[in-house]
Amino acid sequence: MTTKKFKTVQESQVVISELMLPSHSNFNGKIHGGYVLSLLDQIAFACASKHSQAYCVTASVDTVDFLKPIEIGELVTMKASVNYVGNSSMVIGIRVEAENIQTGELKHCNSSHITMVAKDSNGKSVKVPGLILKTDNDIRRFAKSLKRISMKKTRKQEFQDTDFISEEYLHIQELDNIKIER
C-alpha cells in the first residue's frame, strides 16, 4: 500500500452513529460524559488512522465542550475530520449531534478537538500526509487549529513557570469564595 503525500480532508472523514442505551446513562438519566469521551477517542483514532494509514495514539484532548445533554434513546452521530496536520500529529475535530428518533429533532451536543500522533510498530512517530484544503470550512478549521495550538503553547509555558510571587496574586483576596490564611 502506498501512502499519499497529501490527502483531502474529505478522504479521512469518519462518521459513526450509535443508539444511546440506559446502560450509558449517569445517575441523572442523561448519557454519561465519560461514555461520550470514550466514543470521541474511538472516532478520533479511526479518523487519524485513516488519514495516516498508521497506528495512532491520543496525545491530548484539547477541547471538549459539552453543549447539551444527550438523552437515553437518542441516536448520536459523531462526525470527525482532520483539521490540522503537523509532522506526525493531527488535530481531529469532532461534532456530536443527537437525534430524537421519534420527532427527528437534531441538536448539537458536543464539539471536541483531539490531537493524535501516528506511530510505527516500534512506537516511533511517523510522518503523516499533508492536508489539501479545498473548502472555506477546511481553511477556517485549519486556521482555528493554528490559533488553538498557539494558545496551548502559551498555557503550557505559564503552568511550567515556577517563579511564583505571591504579591502578584493578592487581588484574589477580594473574591468572595476564598480566604487566604498564612
Side-chain angles (χ1 to χ4, degrees):
M1 180 184 326
T2 336
T3 304
K4 294 181 176 182
K5 277 189 165 252
F6 288 88
K7 286 185 172 182
T8 65
V9 171
Q10 294 71 24
E11 285 179 88
S12 301
Q13 287 177 325
V14 175
V15 177
I16 61 170
S17 294
E18 184 172 330
L19 185 64
M20 295 296 105
L21 303 174
S23 61
H24 304 139
S25 67
N26 60 23
F27 294 111
N28 199 27
K30 308 296 182 194
I31 300 307
H32 196 284
Y35 183 71
V36 175
L37 289 171
S38 172
L39 292 174
L40 290 169
D41 194 49
Q42 288 176 41
I43 194 170
F45 170 83
C47 185
S49 295
K50 189 173 178 183
H51 182 79
S52 64
Q53 295 181 289
Y55 178 75
C56 294
V57 297
T58 306
S60 66
V61 178
D62 304 324
T63 58
V64 179
D65 296 319
F66 291 100
L67 307 171
K68 292 182 181 166
I70 299 171
E71 308 290 336
I72 295 169
E74 289 184 323
L75 181 65
V76 169
T77 300
M78 295 188 174
K79 302 171 183 177
S81 297
V82 178
N83 289 357
Y84 167 88
V85 295
N87 188 38
S88 62
S89 67
M90 297 153 279
V91 174
I92 310 301
I94 307 162
R95 180 181 173 94
V96 180
E97 295 175 339
E99 179 182 359
N100 179 316
I101 55 177
Q102 293 174 326
T103 67
E105 180 189 347
L106 272 179
K107 61 185 176 183
H108 178 199
C109 297
N110 186 300
S111 288
S112 303
H113 298 90
I114 299 177
T115 300
M116 305 295 289
V117 177
K119 300 285 187 175
D120 66 14
S121 58
N122 297 316
K124 301 280 185 199
S125 297
V126 295
K127 185 162 179 55
V128 299
L131 205 54
I132 299 169
L133 307 175
K134 286 189 160 194
T135 69
D136 287 346
N137 232 4
D138 294 346
I139 296 166
R140 178 184 59 78
R141 289 175 176 158
F142 188 88
K144 284 193 172 199
S145 291
L146 288 174
K147 187 173 184 176
R148 262 192 304 282
I149 290 166
S150 174
M151 290 168 37
K152 186 174 161 182
K153 285 179 184 174
T154 301
R155 275 193 318 274
K156 191 174 184 180
Q157 288 170 344
E158 287 175 358
F159 283 109
Q160 288 177 343
D161 185 7
T162 57
D163 297 331
F164 178 78
I165 302 168
S166 61
E167 289 78 32
E168 286 182 39
Y169 299 95
L170 287 179
H171 67 280
I172 65 174
Q173 319 184 74
E174 298 167 13
L175 298 172
D176 292 335
N177 62 343
I178 69 125
K179 187 164 111 177
I180 297 176
E181 295 181 352
R182 292 184 180 177

